[in-house]
Amino acid sequence: MRRLLTIILILHSSFFVLHSSAQKYALIDLEYILKNIPAYERATEQLSQVSKRWQAEVDALNTEAGTMYKNYQNEVVFLSQEQKQVRQNAIMQKEKEAADLKKKYFGPEGELFKKRESLMSPIQEEVYNAVKEISELRGYQMVVDRASKSGIIFASPKIDISNEVLQKLGY
């Protein structure tokens, strides 16, 4: 009897130790949250418009270089060696201008990257702070983004706090 009581006490205390160290998790769907934030939609549209405008500028330079090359091909038999060299240099210069402009706008540290940072960072920071606040309030040790497709096979909708994050943000 004493032995049974000892085993029960050990099991009982183990249960409380395991239970007290259990970690709480929550899920969010960042895509869903961002789609429901009007400022994000406006920023996305603004980036799209700027990107199209800049791409049109790059395309115009490439078209101009292509036209210059076609004209050169048509007239090459009538040009002196010096004139050929001048035309070739002009075509290469135009192609370089197009490549430089493309890099300026769309490169890793280009204008589009900077524009995206300036428009999206405040929104992302606001979402992060809302998630952090809810997590601290509810005692979540980790919040996982289910939209990132990072290997989540199943997740109960009961632990998805996306709507609560939107509420916290006022949407």
Side-chain angles (χ1 to χ4, degrees):
M1 177 73 176
R2 189 174 227 194
R3 192 172 191 183
L4 181 61
L5 187 57
T6 305
I7 291 173
I8 290 174
L9 283 174
I10 290 172
L11 289 174
H12 187 67
S13 63
S14 297
F15 172 76
F16 281 113
V17 168
L18 289 173
H19 185 67
S20 66
S21 68
Q23 296 182 358
K24 290 176 71 177
Y25 303 99
L27 293 176
I28 61 169
D29 186 334
L30 196 53
E31 283 181 25
Y32 169 76
I33 291 170
L34 292 175
K35 283 180 183 176
N36 283 284
I37 297 176
Y40 179 79
E41 291 295 319
R42 285 190 302 272
T44 301
E45 182 59 33
Q46 189 176 351
L47 285 172
S48 176
Q49 294 301 322
V50 166
S51 178
K52 286 177 186 175
R53 189 176 74 233
W54 288 342
Q55 186 62 51
E57 288 180 39
V58 171
D59 291 345
L61 284 176
N62 281 325
T63 301
E64 193 176 336
T67 302
M68 289 170 68
Y69 181 73
K70 284 179 187 173
N71 291 340
Y72 169 76
Q73 290 291 345
N74 291 336
E75 300 167 2
V76 72
V77 291
F78 305 113
L79 300 174
S80 68
Q81 194 60 32
E82 187 177 299
Q83 289 172 325
K84 287 179 188 177
Q85 191 62 46
V86 168
R87 293 269 189 102
Q88 289 171 357
N89 289 341
I91 292 167
M92 288 190 307
Q93 180 60 35
K94 192 58 71 176
E95 289 173 341
K96 185 180 181 326
E97 282 180 44
D100 290 346
L101 190 62
K102 184 175 183 174
K103 183 179 178 184
K104 175 187 172 192
Y105 288 150
F106 302 108
E109 297 295 320
E111 297 298 319
L112 187 63
F113 174 80
K114 292 174 186 172
K115 187 98 172 147
R116 182 176 286 123
E117 276 292 307
S118 70
L119 292 173
M120 297 300 186
S121 288
I123 297 167
Q124 291 169 338
E125 188 70 26
E126 189 179 12
V127 170
Y128 171 80
N129 288 335
V131 170
K132 182 179 175 191
E133 198 173 308
I134 292 168
S135 296
E136 288 172 351
L137 181 71
R138 295 233 182 136
Y140 297 132
Q141 276 72 34
M142 181 169 51
V143 177
V144 179
D145 178 17
R146 77 168 35 194
S148 71
K149 314 232 183 319
S150 61
I152 297 173
I153 296 171
F154 171 78
S156 171
K158 293 177 185 176
I159 63 172
D160 190 329
I161 60 170
S162 299
N163 286 325
E164 191 172 347
V165 171
L166 284 169
Q167 253 183 333
K168 186 80 169 161
L169 293 169
Y171 300 105

